[in-house]
Amino acid sequence: MNVQIAESWKNVLQPEFEKPYFEQLASFVKEEYRTQTVYPAGKLIFNAFDKCSFENAKVVILGQDPYHGEGQANGLSFSVNDGVRKPPSLVNIFKEINNDLGQAAPASGNLERWAEQGVLLLNSVLTVRANTAGSHQNKGWEKFTDAVIYALSEQRENLVFILWGSPAQKKGGVIDPTKHLILKSVHPSPLSAERGFYGNHHFSRTNEYLQAHGKTPIRW
């Protein structure tokens, strides 16, 4: 199957695109876009891969579904388009960056600037029906994104995997902890942020690890 994804990722993931589950997933997604309102826009489904090549990836931040409100999702986990009000989890992420690094929150919640520095902002599920959280779960996306994480773990070294909340942590089971740094905490959602997201220092710890392995730190 010819999937419109950045060439560096296509070379790595092509075997997945030939598997029956992915063909079924592609059929499902096409039909959803034809008959429903689905986010993000079709051209942004693989935006995380387009903005951060396989070779340049240094950090992976794992989310769940895309945002399901109008105009929010842009194909990058936790990110929203310019001019869109920041969702609560993203507000809390910026609060922790301020706690950790002393940086004021930026005006925009668009995290493309992170992606362009080598942060793969990967959702477990890459599409969602409007106003219906979880509507595209268990259709095959999870298997595909597991393959993405496994490929990074196996073929790259000294990456940082940031896993917030139990779903992300379960998904991190395929990561080799002897080759990479795995950072875990509760999710930045308002429901859990007070129970260990604040004060996790994941942003400074990421940069310390990158620098220790000869990589440029991320400008959060």
Side-chain angles (χ1 to χ4, degrees), residues 174-187:
V174 298
I175 302 164
D176 183 347
T178 67
K179 293 171 63 181
H180 307 284
L181 177 63
I182 303 172
L183 298 176
K184 300 178 182 179
S185 80
V186 298
H187 195 272

Side-chain angles (χ1 to χ4, degrees), residues 33-189:
Y33 273 93
R34 191 181 71 79
T35 60
Q36 307 289 333
T37 300
V38 178
Y39 301 127
K43 65 182 180 181
L44 296 177
I45 293 173
F46 294 113
N47 195 30
F49 304 90
D50 294 337
K51 292 287 188 294
C52 177
S53 72
F54 182 78
E55 294 82 6
N56 289 343
K58 297 188 286 193
V59 181
V60 181
I61 299 181
L62 194 58
Q64 296 175 24
D65 298 285
Y67 296 121
H68 55 79
E70 184 177 359
Q72 290 181 302
N74 63 9
L76 308 175
S77 62
F78 296 102
S79 175
V80 289
N81 287 315
D82 292 325
V84 175
R85 184 179 179 184
K86 299 185 197 84
S89 291
L90 184 56
V91 170
N92 290 341
I93 288 169
F94 287 145
K95 280 183 185 173
E96 175 55 20
I97 291 173
N98 178 251
N99 294 339
D100 191 8
L101 302 173
Q103 292 177 202
S108 172
N110 192 331
L111 303 180
E112 278 189 17
R113 63 189 181 279
W114 293 3
E116 289 163 357
Q117 297 176 71
V119 181
L120 181 68
L121 293 158
L122 180 66
N123 278 318
S124 176
V125 175
L126 301 189
T127 55
V128 69
R129 195 183 285 188
N131 307 314
T132 315
S135 48
H136 286 186
Q137 290 178 1
N138 303 315
K139 302 296 184 183
W141 278 131
E142 293 91 343
K143 191 176 288 191
F144 172 71
T145 50
D146 279 350
V148 171
I149 295 166
Y150 182 75
L152 285 164
S153 176
E154 287 295 297
Q155 298 179 41
R156 298 288 313 282
E157 291 187 355
N158 303 324
L159 303 183
V160 182
F161 290 87
I162 297 177
L163 310 177
W164 295 326
S166 56
Q169 289 168 28
K170 285 177 190 159
K171 202 166 177 67
V174 298
I175 302 164
D176 183 347
T178 67
K179 293 171 63 181
H180 307 284
L181 177 63
I182 303 172
L183 298 176
K184 300 178 182 179
S185 80
V186 298
H187 195 272
S189 158

Side-chain angles (χ1 to χ4, degrees), residues 1-5 7 10 14 17-18 22 30:
M1 176 177 287
N2 183 30
V3 176
Q4 299 301 308
I5 193 171
E7 206 62 31
K10 184 175 276 194
Q14 189 59 43
F17 301 144
E18 308 303 331
F22 195 88
K30 282 178 187 170

